[in-house]
Amino acid sequence: MEKLIITAAICGAEVLKEHNPAVPYTVEEMVREARSAYDAGASLIHLHVRYDDGTPTQDKARFREVIDAIRAELPDVIIQPSTGGAVGMSNDERLQPTELKPEMATLDCGTLNFGGDEVFMNTENTIKYFGEKMISLGIKPELEVFDKSMIDMALRLHRKGYINKPMHFDLVMGVNGGISGELRDFVFMRGSLPEDATYTVAGIGRYEFPLAMAAIIDGGHVRVGFEDNVYLSKGVLAKSNGELVAKVVRMAKELGREIATPAEARKILGLTT
Ligand code: KMH
Ligand code: ZN
């Protein structure tokens, strides 16, 4: 079985210090959290950025500042900026970090309710626009799918030339508005992917570790981090993203799955450096 790529989604756009005081906002805090995840075994950082007061932003200059600071400490880690940003941002606002030509970026494959009155908008034309942009800049998309219909959309847009193969999916499961994170849902989602695709699973909240376990057994990859879940176990806040990564590493070791280095992760994902 392939080695396990662990992604750390260290910050997100919605989670706050009120939820867990270790959620990073400043550049220094972002570096601290990236390092803790890397040292524990993460090879890939899924990156949102904030201003110092915690406000989410897709500002290119802020992304550059955070990426440069992480790179200075962790030269080989894969950095994957979000193009999802936060609910309500415009397409061009969201796309700003792609101008920095990262190796990867997320590409969200459909619209979904996001709790309360929030709607995370990704129309077909938005997905095409983002897909074309990533192809033109040589960026590998991580296809964020929050439901089965979004896998179908990604496959349709691949056939139309907006997304290249080999495709890499992130099965985001348990968002309030998307598919839930039960094992039957995982089997359905995973079974709907093309044979030549790779995937990672991001279980939200209490689904994080059960779905990590399922993906480890299945040969998939795993995403954890404060963006998705702030608890190490029921009622126990994680002190760092690294603690969440370390738990996945322990689970993988018990199941005999080795952890990928960034170089090995690049090979598995077909990234060129
Ligand atoms: N913050 C969510 C609205 C992504 O990074 O591409 C979107 C999100 C997905 O987090
Ligand atoms: Zn994200």
Side-chain angles (χ1 to χ4, degrees):
M1 207 177 269
E2 262 172 354
K3 290 193 181 180
L4 176 70
I5 302 170
I6 304 177
T7 297
I10 60 174
C11 174
E14 292 81 21
V15 67
L16 298 169
K17 285 189 191 291
E18 284 82 340
H19 303 120
N20 183 326
V23 171
Y25 297 163
T26 68
V27 176
E28 293 70 29
E29 289 169 347
M30 297 292 287
V31 173
R32 181 198 71 212
E33 286 307 306
R35 173 165 276 294
S36 80
Y38 176 89
D39 287 347
S43 51
L44 202 163
I45 304 292
H46 168 67
L47 192 66
H48 290 253
V49 298
R50 311 283 187 95
Y51 290 121
D52 286 354
D53 67 358
T55 308
T57 177
Q58 289 292 102
D59 180 59
K60 181 175 151 185
R62 185 65 166 185
F63 261 101
R64 194 198 307 271
E65 199 184 356
V66 174
I67 290 171
D68 286 353
I70 293 174
R71 272 270 163 268
E73 290 227 4
L74 312 170
D76 66 339
V77 76
I78 302 167
I79 300 178
Q80 176 202 81
S82 169
T83 68
V87 168
M89 291 177 172
S90 72
N91 289 349
D92 287 328
E93 193 178 359
R94 286 166 49 182
L95 278 168
Q96 288 178 80
T98 61
E99 291 165 28
L100 302 172
K101 303 217 177 113
E103 294 170 89
M104 294 185 89
T106 55
L107 201 178
D108 293 276
C109 293
T111 295
L112 77 156
N113 284 337
F114 220 69
D117 289 325
E118 306 261 271
V119 179
F120 181 35
M121 288 288 289
N122 295 285
T123 66
E124 182 182 17
N125 285 344
T126 294
I127 306 163
K128 287 178 173 174
Y129 182 50
F130 281 40
E132 277 181 328
K133 180 75 128 193
M134 291 190 203
I135 287 174
S136 73
L137 293 170
I139 299 168
K140 172 143 185 159
E142 178 169 284
L143 304 163
E144 308 288 309
V145 290
F146 298 77
D147 217 327
K148 159 70 161 60
S149 59
M150 300 191 195
I151 298 175
D152 299 333
M153 174 62 85
L155 296 177
R156 196 177 308 123
L157 293 188
H158 159 67
R159 290 193 292 273
K160 291 187 173 178
Y162 294 95
I163 297 168
N164 287 339
K165 279 199 172 181
M167 300 165 89
H168 176 66
F169 289 84
D170 179 19
L171 313 180
V172 188
M173 304 181 62
V175 170
N176 177 15
I179 196 164
S180 66
E182 302 301 330
L183 197 54
R184 63 155 197 269
D185 305 315
F186 171 78
V187 170
F188 179 47
M189 293 284 278
R190 192 265 169 275
S192 305
L193 300 176
E195 291 233 328
D196 56 355
T198 51
Y199 79 89
T200 192
V201 70
I204 305 301
R206 67 186 173 85
Y207 293 119
E208 184 161 87
F209 293 110
L211 288 176
M213 181 72 88
I216 292 167
I217 294 166
D218 183 54
H221 305 283
V222 172
R223 172 174 125 172
V224 292
F226 288 156
E227 177 166 349
D228 303 332
N229 165 53
V230 294
Y231 291 100
L232 189 59
S233 55
K234 196 167 189 232
V236 180
L237 287 174
K239 291 192 186 71
S240 66
N241 278 278
E243 276 200 339
L244 299 169
V245 172
K247 182 163 172 172
V248 175
V249 170
R250 287 197 299 277
M251 288 161 55
K253 287 217 164 109
E254 286 295 326
L255 293 163
R257 187 102 186 260
E258 289 181 72
I259 309 301
T261 63
E264 290 165 340
R266 281 190 175 87
K267 242 189 187 153
I268 293 166
L269 294 169
L271 301 173
T272 48
T273 49

